[in-house]
Amino acid sequence: MSVPDYPYLTATLGDAAERLPPELAQPLEAAFAATVDVPDPITLQGCLQRIRNGDGADGQPWRSPALTPGQGMAMARADRAAAGLTTLLEIFHAAERVRVDGEDRQQIGDGTREGLLLACRGLAEYVELQLHAA
């Protein structure tokens, strides 16, 4: 099956879209394309671009009419860092429970616990900086 010349018109009009003259079909297709919010396909480059554009922890751009784009990016970064901090603290908490109540062979060791603690501190400081930047 071939890709239609006018995918939005074809989705709307079916095969009749292919019978429209180009001088009518092209502007209609452009109008449809401009109003339809089609997500980019999931590709490495597309994901990296969305990350660079400041997506939040939920993967969506931070949207707020009261914020400038720079403030929105700062809030998105703080949101991602806070989500990472929560995850690290959950791992750290579980590691502490194992240290207190678990068996020696299941413990992660002092160096790893200290690394988790330092990562949590670093993310908490980063969240604070981003919130003050917004």
Side-chain angles (χ1 to χ4, degrees):
M1 184 174 162
S2 64
V3 177
D5 292 332
Y6 308 109
Y8 295 113
L9 280 176
T10 301
T12 305
L13 302 174
D15 293 334
E18 296 300 322
R19 293 190 295 272
L20 291 174
E23 57 274 1
L24 178 60
Q26 289 171 350
L28 286 173
E29 181 70 13
F32 276 123
T35 59
V36 176
D37 188 19
V38 177
D40 293 333
I42 301 298
T43 63
L44 181 61
Q45 186 174 1
C47 288
L48 287 172
Q49 187 60 44
R50 284 187 290 280
I51 289 168
R52 286 186 201 112
N53 288 337
D55 62 339
D58 62 356
Q60 301 300 314
W62 194 271
R63 299 207 193 287
S64 175
L67 299 177
T68 66
Q71 291 170 326
M73 186 169 287
M75 291 302 295
R77 287 177 176 160
D79 186 46
R80 286 194 317 265
L85 178 60
T86 299
T87 301
L88 283 172
L89 284 169
E90 288 170 352
I91 293 169
F92 188 57
H93 189 200
E96 182 61 13
R97 293 290 1 118
V98 170
R99 186 187 70 78
V100 171
D101 296 328
E103 299 175 17
D104 286 343
R105 64 183 171 85
Q106 297 208 351
Q107 293 188 24
I108 60 174
D110 292 339
T112 303
R113 273 195 303 281
E114 186 171 350
L116 285 170
L117 181 61
L118 291 173
C120 291
R121 286 182 56 196
L123 279 172
E125 290 167 359
Y126 183 79
V127 168
E128 183 179 13
L129 286 173
Q130 292 303 314
L131 291 176
H132 289 293

